Amino acid sequence: MSISPHAAIILLILGPLTFAALAFLWPRYWRWFCFTLAPLQVGAVVKLALEVYASGPVRHHVGGWTAPLGIELRADGMAVVLLVITAGIGLAVMLYASRYFDPGPGQQSAEGARRQKYFWPLYFFLLASLNALFLSADIFNLYVTLELIGFSAVALVALAGKGPALTAALRYLLVSLAGSLFYLLGVVLTYGTYSTLDISLLASRVEPSFVTWVALGLMTGGLLMKAALFPLHFWLPPAHANAPSPVSALLSALVVKGAFCILLRLWFEAFASMVTPAAANFLGWLGVAAIIWGSIQALRQPRLKLLVAYSTVAQLGYLFLVFPLALSESSGFTAWSGCLLFLGAHACAKTAMFLTAGNILHAAGHDRIRDLDGITHVLPLSVFAFALAGISLVGLPPSGGFAGKWMLLNAGVSQGKWIWVTAILVGSLLAAAYIMRVLNHAFTRVPEPDIPNPIPPVMEWTGFTLALLAVVLGFFAQWPVELLRIGSPFVSVVQTVEMLP
Amino acid sequence: MVGGRLKGRHSLRPGSSTVNEIAFRLYLLAGASLVAIGFFGILASAELLRKILGVNIMGSGIFLILVGLAARTTDPIPDPVPHAMVLTGIVVSVCGTALALALADRVRAMKAREMLDEEEEE
């Protein structure tokens, strides 16, 4: 493809946005929109990744205006890795949803038709806002993308249309609005102090002061609400468990990661010069609490989708261990890139899990774990995919989850921070326990399991492919790490290659 | 050039105590109080409409600080960046309120239906 990297950046934001409008106006042609956008998006992401790998970060000034007045879009290694994850998960969910909402000619209910009509515009809208978030280099622009993501995510949850989903959507919206307003207040205070919104300009101007700490605290607090870190996770399980399954997958794999990525940008780039170990440890401790609490709750859930949702709460906890571990000069990059690798592996594994949970829910008509005995006879591929995704969540080699945890562990051991090392290991054991709880029932032999509905093959294969990807990601871990190196906020990145498993 | 003019025009750090500065402190204080009142409203009231109003009050507080920030200059022309931020913020806030009201309406209708069903069962 011979488009310029600047065109690729614009295409990644305006492309899905245009298709969102088209899909809203002419819902009947959703198939055409999907199969036009998918190759365009994948092409643009690949082009951008190759360009960044070959010649460093790409900066695009929207409308030709430079900072501080203009808006800058920036594609560095981290942005490109996240765009690749978004494009991959987006493609898989698209394939799954194309059959989920439309089981075949003559079989679609009026309710299914209504959901399909609104799903596609919202899906494109969500993709556009996620891409915009990962490319933004300006803290106010990040606020806008954060709100756009929040709105489309809430509307997607409400798509389920049933009682608990509506209440969950409303609670999610209120938390999301309050969170982004706190973030906005922090942005305002930052602008008032440093007269700029640009992340790289901020990085050179920021110095520790009371107002700056209040600003960073407000922004972090708001983002923690959106990223559902314990104890602000209360809205996540009902919202993720009651949404339609393709939506649950998008929410758990991508949406919560958006807020987390802004946190990374703030703590390691814009405000890096004033971050203290005590503040970073505080986030680390919340992460540990999330791992323990989320896993224990996952063990106690009666329903499969709730179990998977609480597992998200636990897995998000690991991501926050990056804050204390990446402060070190020598092994900071190891922890930071390990965290992003873990994020990618979790995105693949969790999408696979929600998609297979959706298959089980659809086939059996319920997702009560204790009544899932013998489901493996009916849906062998889905249960196998669930188990493979579980391997990555637990962190067994050679999965992507293992590679990410290994890098975090390496950073922890080399810095002698045993408490974070212990948390990672205990969390893995707990994850193994809740995954086994599901598989135990799934593999129990029963003479004639009562499974009424057949599942279209594409819905089984998308989940399986993603689960397989999560498991083999460990073999290719050096690729994302090489990419992450480009434009990363860490200076000494030499040691990392030996730390890869 | 515009960037150079904007750079360092104002600062929340002490030192520049002009009349503008005192006025700005008032805006900051009023805005911060509104944010606190709005957030308290979201947390404390059980009614959905009051929660949505709470979100709006929080937003207004932030916009007030931004407007104060724009006027906080010795220049006769106020700083355009906070104005642009307020405009964007208002658009986002209107969309959020509309979405929240639509959802709250659905939730209320659903609750009413559930109550009717229960009465019929009795």
Side-chain angles (χ1 to χ4, degrees), chain A residues 68-411:
Chain A
L69 211 55
I71 294 167
E72 192 188 84
L73 297 175
R74 187 182 54 183
D76 54 7
M78 174 178 157
V80 165
V81 166
L82 292 164
L83 289 173
V84 170
I85 296 171
T86 309
I89 303 289
L91 186 64
V93 170
M94 185 192 96
L95 288 172
Y96 183 89
S98 67
R99 289 310 295 268
Y100 181 88
F101 291 108
D102 189 5
Q107 291 179 37
Q108 196 180 29
S109 60
E111 177 64 18
R114 187 191 66 86
R115 285 195 208 173
Q116 176 173 287
K117 184 177 162 193
Y118 292 113
F119 174 78
W120 293 108
L122 290 168
Y123 163 82
F124 291 131
F125 195 57
L126 183 65
L127 278 189
S129 25
L130 279 166
N131 286 345
L133 183 141
F134 297 139
L135 286 166
S136 293
D138 165 314
I139 53 174
F140 184 71
N141 211 18
L142 284 171
Y143 159 75
V144 177
T145 58
L146 205 57
E147 286 283 36
L148 294 180
I149 290 174
F151 291 164
S152 34
V154 167
L156 281 166
V157 173
L159 211 56
K162 284 174 294 191
L166 281 182
T167 330
L170 188 59
R171 186 182 296 152
Y172 181 17
L173 178 63
L174 287 171
V175 171
S176 170
L177 281 172
S180 28
L181 285 173
F182 278 120
Y183 176 79
L184 181 62
L185 187 57
V187 170
V188 171
L189 293 181
T190 310
Y191 182 77
T193 317
Y194 299 106
S195 307
T196 184
L197 297 164
D198 185 73
I199 288 180
S200 39
L201 281 177
L202 273 176
S204 60
R205 291 188 193 170
V206 161
E207 47 198 55
S209 72
F210 176 68
V211 183
T212 319
W213 270 112
V214 172
L216 182 60
L218 284 168
M219 285 195 264
T220 306
L223 291 170
L224 291 185
M225 287 167 88
K226 293 211 154 212
L229 180 63
F230 177 89
L232 300 169
H233 67 281
F234 58 91
W235 59 268
L236 186 145
H240 286 203
N242 288 311
S245 296
V247 175
S248 313
L250 286 173
L251 293 181
S252 261
L254 301 173
V255 170
V256 279
K257 312 290 167 56
F260 177 75
C261 291
I262 303 183
L263 277 173
L264 285 185
R265 294 269 188 218
L266 292 181
W267 283 64
F268 294 112
E269 292 175 34
F271 294 88
S273 57
M274 56 176 275
V275 169
T276 59
N281 280 342
F282 176 68
L283 287 184
W285 278 112
L286 289 181
V288 172
I291 295 173
I292 309 280
W293 179 255
S295 304
I296 290 175
Q297 286 298 318
L299 271 171
R300 298 179 53 215
Q301 293 310 311
R303 283 179 46 207
L304 182 59
K305 280 186 80 177
L306 270 172
L307 180 146
V308 183
Y310 268 106
S311 151
T312 299
V313 173
Q315 300 280 319
L316 286 169
Y318 288 103
L319 298 179
F320 284 86
L321 298 181
V322 74
F323 293 99
L325 287 175
L327 278 189
S328 136
E329 281 278 307
S330 57
S331 52
F333 180 74
T334 311
W336 184 79
S337 53
C339 162
L340 283 163
L341 196 62
F342 183 84
L343 188 155
H346 175 250
C348 290
K350 198 43 70 73
T351 309
M353 243 178 203
F354 264 124
L355 295 186
T356 48
N359 288 343
I360 291 171
L361 178 64
H362 185 78
H366 68 84
D367 65 343
R368 292 183 301 275
I369 295 167
R370 64 164 64 197
D371 297 332
L372 288 181
D373 289 352
I375 191 92
T376 178
H377 297 290
V378 192
L379 295 173
L381 196 59
S382 285
V383 175
F384 187 44
F386 191 90
L388 281 180
I391 288 178
S392 183
L393 281 195
V394 175
L396 298 177
S399 66
F402 167 74
K405 277 184 189 171
W406 180 260
M407 289 170 79
L408 284 170
L409 281 173
N410 249 318

Side-chain angles (χ1 to χ4, degrees), chain A residues 65 67-69 114 140 143-144 147 150-152 154-155 158 161-164 166-167 169-170 173-174 177-178 180-182 184-185 187-195 197 205 207 209 211 225, chain B residues 2-3 6-13 28 35 39 42 48 51-52 55 58-59 62-63 65-66 69 72 79-82 84-85 88-89 92 95-97 99-100 103-104 106-107 110-111 114:
Chain A
W65 292 79
L69 211 55
R114 187 191 66 86
F140 184 71
Y143 159 75
V144 177
E147 286 283 36
F151 291 164
S152 34
V154 167
K162 284 174 294 191
L166 281 182
T167 330
L170 188 59
L173 178 63
L174 287 171
L177 281 172
S180 28
L181 285 173
F182 278 120
L184 181 62
L185 187 57
V187 170
V188 171
L189 293 181
T190 310
Y191 182 77
T193 317
Y194 299 106
S195 307
L197 297 164
R205 291 188 193 170
E207 47 198 55
S209 72
V211 183
M225 287 167 88
Chain B
V2 182
L6 286 175
K7 185 178 168 184
R9 274 218 310 202
H10 34 237
S11 150
L12 289 183
R13 277 163 290 176
L28 188 65
V35 170
F39 188 56
I42 301 176
L48 289 176
K51 283 182 191 280
I52 297 170
V55 172
M58 269 182 88
I62 296 169
F63 301 150
I65 300 177
L66 271 169
L69 200 62
R72 183 180 177 232
D79 184 355
V81 176
M85 285 162 73
T88 317
V92 171
C95 300
T97 310
L99 183 56
L103 270 176
R106 283 284 189 85
V107 169
M110 180 188 80
K111 292 239 166 91
E114 273 172 10

Side-chain angles (χ1 to χ4, degrees), chain B:
Chain B
M1 200 192 79
V2 182
R5 205 163 60 86
L6 286 175
K7 185 178 168 184
R9 274 218 310 202
H10 34 237
S11 150
L12 289 183
R13 277 163 290 176
S16 48
S17 54
T18 55
V19 179
N20 273 357
E21 188 57 34
I22 296 163
F24 173 69
R25 291 281 150 107
L26 280 175
Y27 273 90
L28 188 65
L29 209 66
S33 323
L34 280 178
V35 170
I37 293 168
F39 188 56
F40 180 76
I42 301 176
L43 291 184
S45 46
E47 212 173 316
L48 289 176
L49 200 58
R50 280 172 186 269
K51 283 182 191 280
I52 297 170
L53 279 175
V55 172
N56 275 276
I57 293 172
M58 269 182 88
S60 306
I62 296 169
F63 301 150
L64 195 65
I65 300 177
L66 271 169
V67 172
L69 200 62
R72 183 180 177 232
T73 165
T74 46
D75 215 315
I77 309 161
D79 184 355
V81 176
H83 284 175
M85 285 162 73
V86 171
L87 284 177
T88 317
I90 289 174
V91 172
V92 171
S93 159
V94 168
C95 300
T97 310
L99 183 56
L101 286 174
L103 270 176
D105 190 46
R106 283 284 189 85
V107 169
R108 213 179 46 171
M110 180 188 80
K111 292 239 166 91
R113 209 180 315 130
E114 273 172 10
M115 276 168 69
L116 271 180
D117 289 348
E118 274 168 26
E119 274 171 26
E120 273 171 20
E121 275 167 29
E122 281 166 19

